Amino acid sequence: MQQNEFIKIVSPFKDKLFRLAKRLLVSTEEAEDATQEVLVKLWTKNETLSELKSVEAMAMTMTKNYCLDQLKSKRASNMTIVHNNYTDNQASLQQKLEDEDSLSWVEKIINDLPEQQKLIIQMRDIEQYEFEDIAKILDMSEATIRVALSRARKTIREIMTKTHNYGIG
Amino acid sequence: MALDRIENLIDKYFEGETSIAEENELKVYFSSTDVAQHLKQYQTIFGYFSQAKEQQFTQEIPLQTKKRNVVLWLSIAASVVVMLGVGTMMYFNNDKEEQFVACSPEDNPELALQQTEKALALVSEHLNTGIESVSYINEYEQSKNRIFKK
């Protein structure tokens, strides 16, 4: 497969990989590194790519696994700096744009969810994958995904209503 | 859009039972300006989902393996050039030595003489190079004798 052919295959979903990585790793730089890493890995598999049914699902799974590995090794070495960086950034953003305030609240709430729920919210509510595809990517049953999704959505609603009442009401 | 339909969809949404089409319907509803007061709290959630989808991966895709291939081909090309160079040198060197032709003095005395002279010249040339290095030893001998006078 030629380089430009590969890029043509990859470009429709490379943003999705990045957003998934960012959802899990939070920091933009790390998410960029992860995305590049996954794309390079995909490129080295080059010859077998055409045999796959869905390169996108494969790439999503690879991104998920890579990011979870990253998180695991980071936790093992006791590094939690990334998260702090991120909240600092958000604070300055909040000051700038009043409107975005509640939107970044949603982001914070989602980022505080358990990893599996984060993944599912990201793929369903943001990327709008069908349950069938999510099941393939996460290697879980559709029923489990629905349950986790419902739980995640309800958690978001619950925290949102709380902040909504405190902030405005 | 009928309000009770939206309310119905929201209930289904939180149970995780809406389809993509229905979720899009909700997104469209909440992106409009006239959202019912009691549903305003959900507006930010759907607003965030739409906004989060806008993020893009702006980095270049680094396909390093391609570069590595270029290096590989370059090294192959370089080694081919080196081997060709060495090969031609050997070839021309061989040419010089092949100037000697086998012949017998009975059949062609002139050629035989020529060949012999050439061979002797070659031998003496090589011998001279040997002797040149021996002269260094002489030099060394002299200076040694100067220091350790007998």
Side-chain angles (χ1 to χ4, degrees), chain B residues 1-146:
Chain B
M1 217 177 290
L3 195 58
D4 50 339
R5 174 168 166 77
I6 294 295
E7 280 170 354
N8 194 8
L9 281 184
I10 284 178
D11 287 341
K12 269 177 78 184
Y13 172 79
F14 282 103
E15 293 308 316
E17 277 158 10
T18 39
S19 67
I20 294 286
E22 287 168 331
E23 281 166 21
N24 276 334
E25 223 173 290
L26 284 174
K27 269 189 191 174
V28 169
Y29 173 76
F30 282 109
S31 65
S32 68
T33 43
D34 52 325
V35 176
Q37 193 58 42
H38 66 289
L39 296 179
K40 275 250 159 78
Q41 50 167 326
Y42 302 127
Q43 200 168 13
T44 45
I45 300 180
F46 289 96
Y48 172 74
F49 290 155
S50 311
Q51 183 219 40
K53 211 182 175 178
E54 302 296 303
Q55 269 190 322
Q56 282 180 344
F57 178 65
T58 49
Q59 301 279 306
E60 241 173 78
I61 304 173
L63 301 176
Q64 290 163 341
T65 40
K66 204 69 189 174
K67 274 184 204 158
R68 225 174 284 152
N69 265 350
V70 170
V71 171
L72 185 78
W73 283 112
L74 260 180
S75 57
I76 288 173
S79 54
V80 165
V81 167
V82 167
M83 278 166 69
L84 268 178
V86 171
T88 42
M89 268 176 66
M90 300 269 273
Y91 183 72
F92 283 117
N93 273 356
N94 275 351
D95 240 24
K96 231 189 220 168
E97 280 161 25
E98 271 169 19
Q99 284 172 336
F100 292 104
V101 184
C103 57
S104 58
E106 288 89 21
D107 300 339
N108 199 340
E110 232 168 82
L111 185 66
L113 180 67
Q114 227 172 47
Q115 295 288 319
T116 316
E117 274 175 350
K118 205 176 275 173
L120 287 176
L122 191 74
V123 168
S124 73
E125 193 184 306
H126 281 294
L127 197 67
N128 278 340
T129 20
I131 284 171
E132 258 168 48
S133 32
V134 170
S135 72
Y136 286 114
I137 295 178
N138 277 340
E139 195 77 25
Y140 173 72
E141 189 78 17
Q142 277 175 14
S143 19
K144 194 200 84 180
N145 284 343
R146 210 172 291 157

Side-chain angles (χ1 to χ4, degrees), chain A residues 105-146:
Chain A
W105 257 111
V106 181
E107 179 156 33
K108 247 184 238 175
I109 297 168
I110 296 176
N111 286 342
D112 283 339
L113 290 172
E115 262 136 32
Q116 198 187 58
Q117 291 183 15
K118 248 191 245 181
L119 282 166
I120 294 173
I121 284 277
Q122 176 70 22
M123 281 191 271
R124 179 66 183 188
D125 279 334
I126 294 169
E127 309 297 355
Q128 302 193 295
Y129 279 109
E130 291 291 349
F131 285 116
E132 194 191 337
D133 298 325
I134 302 176
K136 244 182 254 159
I137 293 169
L138 294 184
D139 194 22
M140 286 162 65
S141 78
E142 286 183 38
T144 332
I145 289 168
R146 274 175 202 273

